[in-house]
Structure formats: C-alpha cells, structure tokens
Amino acid sequence: PSHAGGRERGAMIGSLRGSLLDRVAAEVTIEVAGLGYRLVVTPFTAASLGPIGAECFVWVHHHIREDAQTLYGFSNREERDTFELLIGTHGVGPSLGMAILGTHDPSRLRLAVAADDLAALCLVPGVGKKTAQRLLVELKSRLDTSAVDLGDVVSVGDGSALGGGALADVREALVSLGYTTDEVAVALKGCDPAEEDSSVLLRVALQRLAGR
C-alpha cells in the first residue's frame, strides 16, 4: 500500500512500496495492490530499483496542476526533499529539478553551491551560464551548506566539484568513451572521493554501466 509522507495532505501520495513492473528511460511503473503507478525518476533512481519484478520502495512527490498530476520518485527522502526545495526556487520547474538531481546528488549539489562552482551547474542539461549564475544565487539562500567542508574541494575543469583527482580522471575518461552526463553520474554515485587509484574507480564505474 501507499504511505502518505509527513508533508503531504489529503490524498497526496508520499511513498510507494510494490513490485517494479516496467522501466523505460526516465519512467518506471510500480504495481501496488493491483494498481500500476507511473513515476518520473532520475537515472540513478531507475537503476537502484533492481530487476523487473523486484520489490521496491520509493519516496514520492505528488505534483498536482490544473491539467495534470505527475508522480516523481526518489530513492531516498533527502533527494525528494531537495527536489521540493528546487521546485520552490524561482524559475525551477519539475523538469529542471529532475535534470539537476539527475546530474548532481544532493550532497554534490550542496558542494557545488558552497564552492560557487558555476561549471558544475552548467553540466545540467539545458542550463547555460546565465541560468547557472541565477541558480547559484538562488540556491545559496535555500540550500543548507553549513556542513560542507571546502578544504578538499578541487575544481576539476569539467564542471563537477569533487574532492580528489582520481574521481575527476575517471569522469573525464568516461566522457571521452562517449557516456552521457547522466550515465556518468549513475556510474560514479557513491564512489569514494578519497580513493587515489583511478583504475579501481574506473573498473567499478564500468561494471555499473555494463549492468544497466
């Protein structure tokens, strides 16, 4: 059955637990008690739900407009909360919010904002320099970056604020191999930025990409 999240009211859906029925690009269908719920998700969330038929759980933002209702699914509550913060930001709609989270997870987004990493935001599909500049200003006043440690931040030139050089080298290698920004983000999700052996990171990333 579905569960209403703490900030949802009435019949709004806050989370779903059920079987993964289908997965196509940025959309998944989860069957709950005989009903199939279609959700828009990031590439990482889509990859994290397991094989078709597996039991899965997602946090949900139930977006209601006059002409449509859309469910957005997230693998953890922090991602959903960040999405809701993003779409509450001037000029950021659900599509751009998902594009941002599809490129940078919440911790990396906070790091980019705290470091004024304009190039990191320019990695988001559809975001140019002017939009990135506006987003930096807007998000600085909305995102809590108080716990971000800037001591180890390295600007890697390709736009992502990452600590350590090995992770940056692997990102560059994957891009040169033709992988998209979304695919690279999924492959490097959760990798240890302190890992100094780029060959280890590259092997893990390629195994993840091969299993998609």
Side-chain angles (χ1 to χ4, degrees):
S2 62
H3 313 273
R7 294 195 295 178
E8 282 72 27
R9 288 176 286 180
M12 295 185 74
I13 298 171
S15 66
L16 291 171
R17 186 185 302 277
S19 298
L20 182 62
L21 191 64
D22 192 24
R23 172 171 42 211
V24 180
E27 182 179 285
V28 298
T29 301
I30 297 176
E31 186 178 79
V32 182
L35 294 175
Y37 293 85
R38 295 169 61 181
L39 300 98
V40 178
V41 295
T42 65
F44 171 72
T45 296
S48 72
L49 296 180
I52 299 298
E55 181 177 315
C56 58
F57 174 87
V58 289
W59 291 95
V60 175
H61 173 80
H62 188 172
H63 195 72
I64 299 177
R65 301 182 311 184
E66 290 185 2
D67 59 342
Q69 295 190 35
T70 306
L71 301 180
Y72 295 90
F74 305 92
S75 59
N76 57 66
R77 184 165 184 170
E78 183 184 20
E79 287 188 344
R80 187 187 69 175
D81 289 349
T82 302
F83 174 78
E84 291 176 342
L85 180 147
L86 286 170
I87 63 174
T89 301
H90 177 68
V92 180
S95 295
L96 179 54
M98 293 299 282
I100 292 172
L101 285 176
T103 306
H104 302 296
D105 65 23
S107 62
R108 288 179 57 198
L109 180 61
R110 286 193 298 271
L111 183 59
V113 171
D116 288 319
D117 193 341
L118 187 66
L121 292 180
C122 287
L123 277 179
V124 178
V127 172
K129 187 174 181 180
K130 287 185 178 180
T131 301
Q133 289 173 330
R134 179 178 57 77
L135 282 173
L136 275 181
V137 172
E138 294 271 357
L139 293 178
K140 269 189 175 297
S141 65
R142 297 179 63 82
L143 276 177
D144 180 9
T145 59
S146 59
V148 175
D149 181 6
L150 296 179
D152 296 326
V153 172
V154 177
S155 180
V156 298
D158 66 353
S160 58
L162 298 171
L167 204 54
D169 291 342
V170 172
R171 169 177 282 275
E172 185 175 347
L174 292 173
V175 171
S176 69
L177 289 172
Y179 290 105
T180 66
T181 300
D182 286 348
E183 289 172 328
V184 172
V186 172
L188 297 182
K189 174 80 172 183
C191 286
D192 184 3
E195 174 61 60
E196 297 181 356
D197 190 340
S198 57
S199 64
V200 171
L201 291 175
L202 182 60
R203 182 167 62 251
V204 170
L206 289 173
Q207 287 174 344
R208 289 179 177 177
L209 289 166
R212 292 187 66 195

